[in-house]
Amino acid sequence: VEASSFERSWAVNGTALAGTPLSQSYAGIAGVGILSSVAIPNLMSARLSANESAAIATLRNIASAQARMQAIAVIDRDGDGQGEFGFLGEMAGVVPLRGSRGGRMQPALLGSSFGNRLNDGNQGAVVQRSGYCFKVWIGGSGGRGAVQGVPEPMRPSNEGDPDNAEQFWCAYAWPMTAGQTGNRVFFIDQSGQLTACGNEAGQYQGLHAQPSFDSALRGPALGTAPVRGKVARDGQVWKLVH
């Protein structure tokens, strides 16, 4: 950045009047602008990376909670001794367990913040944290995914099928605002393997542009193998996250 002859003389005169080398101040202001043009994108990139890392960790925590939920069989609506997978509110101990007549998970398998559920516009529960939205489906009738209703009580149609809820669940994490709070979208299911798509066009973001239960799958039913390295049902390429 170069100063004009007028700016240079103004800086010299200002030094005599105020005892401060204004030319240094001028250069400092220019330097701040240059630094900002470099620092702000770096900060944004770091924020996106941190949010994505937090989303990955959260999904893995959910997977661990689901494995524990099924193993201890606190939900077993058909009485066959096989535990069912749970919704976020159930695992956080903030809503009654299905079929329990009011009983809640104690101790909770997830933090109480997972009880802060939002209505996705279709009476489905979404949790927002660290720039991402999180949603869980369990096995429903006909292989479809069932979601926890908001507000309670849940309708029978979205409580899940007892047999399918013993076998299948999945969860997605997608950015609240694509390109600002996160880029990639993440998927995990009962296999414990995590996949992600680039979400380059911002296909998924916020409460009203969210994935469906089968977006990352090969077929239209929970339990269908997730796509890894190929185009899934939503038209995007999903890749394994190590």
Side-chain angles (χ1 to χ4, degrees):
V1 178
E2 295 184 358
S4 67
S5 59
F6 171 80
E7 290 166 333
R8 288 195 295 271
S9 64
W10 181 80
V12 172
N13 292 334
T15 300
L17 291 172
T20 302
L22 295 184
S23 59
Q24 293 180 16
S25 299
Y26 181 87
I29 292 170
V32 168
I34 295 171
L35 288 173
S36 296
S37 67
V38 175
I40 291 175
N42 286 344
L43 287 172
M44 285 292 295
S45 178
R47 178 189 179 193
L48 292 175
S49 179
N51 285 352
E52 290 191 356
S53 295
I56 290 171
T58 296
L59 286 179
R60 286 182 170 147
N61 286 340
I62 290 172
S64 296
Q66 288 283 29
R68 178 63 176 160
M69 187 87 170
Q70 187 203 38
I72 60 180
V74 291
I75 301 176
D76 181 14
R77 289 175 293 160
D78 58 7
D80 63 357
Q82 299 295 314
E84 299 177 34
F85 294 115
F87 294 119
L88 293 177
E90 291 175 317
M91 292 186 287
V94 298
V95 300
L97 298 166
R98 302 187 310 281
S100 68
R101 298 183 180 180
R104 303 191 180 202
M105 190 70 203
Q106 294 295 333
L109 299 175
L110 292 174
S112 59
S113 63
F114 285 95
N116 299 326
R117 294 153 301 120
L118 301 174
N119 190 327
D120 66 1
N122 193 32
Q123 291 188 309
V126 172
V127 171
Q128 292 183 333
R129 51 190 285 150
S130 300
Y132 266 76
C133 300
F134 298 86
K135 189 172 182 179
V136 164
W137 287 258
I138 63 172
S141 59
R144 295 188 59 80
V147 296
Q148 186 173 29
V150 177
E152 268 73 37
M154 291 185 290
R155 301 187 304 272
S157 61
N158 59 17
E159 289 186 349
D161 174 78
D163 288 327
N164 287 333
E166 295 170 354
Q167 302 180 65
F168 310 121
W169 70 273
C170 73
Y172 287 83
W174 66 96
M176 294 180 191
T177 305
Q180 295 184 27
T181 66
N183 288 318
R184 291 185 294 170
V185 177
F186 302 97
F187 168 87
I188 198 167
D189 65 3
Q190 66 280 344
S191 71
Q193 292 190 317
L194 190 73
T195 57
C197 71
N199 197 37
E200 288 86 357
Q203 180 174 343
Y204 303 127
Q205 58 180 319
L207 292 179
H208 304 300
Q210 57 182 292
S212 63
F213 73 91
D214 58 349
S215 292
L217 301 179
R218 298 177 187 274
L222 271 182
T224 305
V227 169
R228 299 184 182 94
K230 297 181 180 180
V231 176
R233 287 180 57 79
D234 67 350
Q236 298 198 68
V237 175
W238 292 76
K239 298 179 180 180
L240 191 64
V241 177
H242 297 285

